[in-house]
Amino acid sequence: EAGVTQFPSHSVIEKGQTVTLRCDPISGHDNLYWYRRVMGKEIKFLLHFVKESKQDESGMPNNRFLAERTGGTYSTLKVQPAELEDSGVYFCASSPSTGGTEAFFGQGTRLTVV
Amino acid sequence: RKEVEQDPGPFNVPEGATVAFNCTYSNSASQSFFWYRQDCRKEPKLLMSVYSSGNEDGRFTAQLNRASQYISLLIRDSKLSDSATYLCVVNYYSNYQLIWGAGTKLIIKP
C-alpha cells in the first residue's frame, strides 16, 4: 500500500516567488494534516482537512498560505509570495479517523526561500 | 510555557545503556499520547502510543502519569540504530490537533 507522498521533496525559491506543495494521502484517509518545522523549532500544526473541508486552520501563519483539498483527495499548500521565514520542512500526514489514532507522515518537502 | 515540553538534548549514551526521556504537557484535557521517532532528514514515524496503564514493546516502555501530566519513554539495552530524535506528541480530542514537543536527540555511541 502506498504511503503518504509529497512533492517536491526539495524546493529552493527566491523571496517573492510562489511555491505549491502537494500531498497525496493514503487512499481512504479522510483526515489530512499539514505541519511545518522550521530550523531549531518544534513541529507546528498548520491545518486539518476532513475530506475536502477545512476542519481547523488555526495554525496557518498568515494569508500568504492557502491550502486546498480538491475532491477530498490530494491537497496543495501554496505560499504566495514566499518570505525568508517560510523556509522549513513541510510535512503532510493522513489518518483514517480522528482522535487518538496514528497519523502517517509523508517524507516532507524542504522549502528554502533565498 | 510550551504546551508540550521535552528534556533538552542531545543525550549521548553508550551502546547497551538504558536511557529515559520525559515529556510534560500543560493541558489536562489531553486525551491521547504518542512517542514518534524522527531520523535525520526523514519524516516522523510512530514509535509507540502511550496508554494509561503503561505499555511495553520489546526494549521500549512508555508510561503516562495523568496526575502529574507527564509521559516517559524508557529504552533498555540501547542500540546504535536507536540514534534519532524522539518526539512527544499529545492529541486533544476537542480539536484533533497533534501538539508536538521540540524533540530530544539521542546519540548512541559504540
Side-chain angles (χ1 to χ4, degrees):
Chain A
E1 178 185 344
V4 178
T5 56
Q6 291 185 244
F7 181 83
S9 58
H10 294 85
S11 181
V12 180
I13 61 171
E14 292 184 351
K15 176 182 173 181
Q17 289 186 321
T18 298
V19 62
T20 300
L21 314 180
R22 173 171 170 144
C23 168
D24 286 78
I26 292 173
S27 177
H29 282 192
D30 287 343
N31 296 281
L32 187 150
Y33 309 85
W34 282 99
Y35 298 89
R36 176 174 74 170
R37 186 169 199 169
V38 297
M39 182 82 71
K41 299 288 182 68
E42 62 270 25
I43 296 173
K44 290 281 194 181
F45 167 84
L46 295 178
L47 86 159
H48 169 209
F49 284 100
V50 177
K51 297 184 181 179
E52 68 276 7
S53 300
K54 291 176 185 175
Q55 180 75 14
D56 182 350
E57 53 183 329
S58 60
M60 295 286 264
N62 51 62
N63 59 11
R64 294 185 295 102
F65 288 75
L66 175 64
E68 294 180 323
R69 190 179 182 193
T70 306
T73 55
Y74 70 91
S75 174
T76 57
L77 179 64
K78 181 191 288 187
V79 185
Q80 179 182 30
E83 297 290 344
L84 298 178
E85 65 264 25
D86 299 333
S87 296
V89 181
Y90 290 76
F91 290 104
C92 172
S94 72
S95 70
S97 62
T98 51
T101 59
E102 177 184 0
F104 295 84
F105 281 78
Q107 81 282 9
T109 294
R110 183 173 296 276
L111 174 65
T112 304
V113 182
V114 297
Chain B
R1 182 188 172 189
K2 293 183 179 180
E3 291 185 83
V4 178
E5 295 202 65
Q6 295 189 238
D7 290 342
F11 283 21
N12 291 280
V13 300
E15 191 176 8
T18 295
V19 61
F21 302 134
N22 288 318
C23 168
T24 58
Y25 59 95
S26 60
N27 191 328
S28 60
S30 302
Q31 292 297 320
S32 54
F33 310 88
F34 308 92
W35 283 103
Y36 274 74
R37 169 190 169 134
Q38 186 173 23
D39 292 289
C40 187
R41 296 182 177 273
K42 297 288 183 65
E43 73 275 20
K45 290 188 177 179
L46 180 68
L47 178 66
M48 297 179 74
S49 299
V50 187
Y51 304 119
S52 296
S53 56
N55 47 304
E56 185 174 315
D57 182 4
R59 298 181 293 108
F60 298 83
T61 300
Q63 293 194 316
L64 167 64
N65 185 318
R66 285 191 183 274
S68 300
Q69 295 182 201
Y70 79 83
I71 67 173
S72 63
L73 177 67
L74 184 76
I75 305 175
R76 292 181 299 277
D77 188 23
S78 54
K79 312 291 184 190
L80 295 177
S81 57
D82 294 335
S83 297
T85 295
Y86 290 82
L87 299 152
C88 170
V89 185
V90 173
N91 193 16
Y92 304 152
Y93 283 163
S94 62
N95 59 17
Y96 310 116
Q97 294 185 19
L98 294 179
I99 309 298
W100 296 76
T104 301
K105 187 172 183 179
L106 174 64
I107 301 170
I108 305 297
K109 297 184 173 181

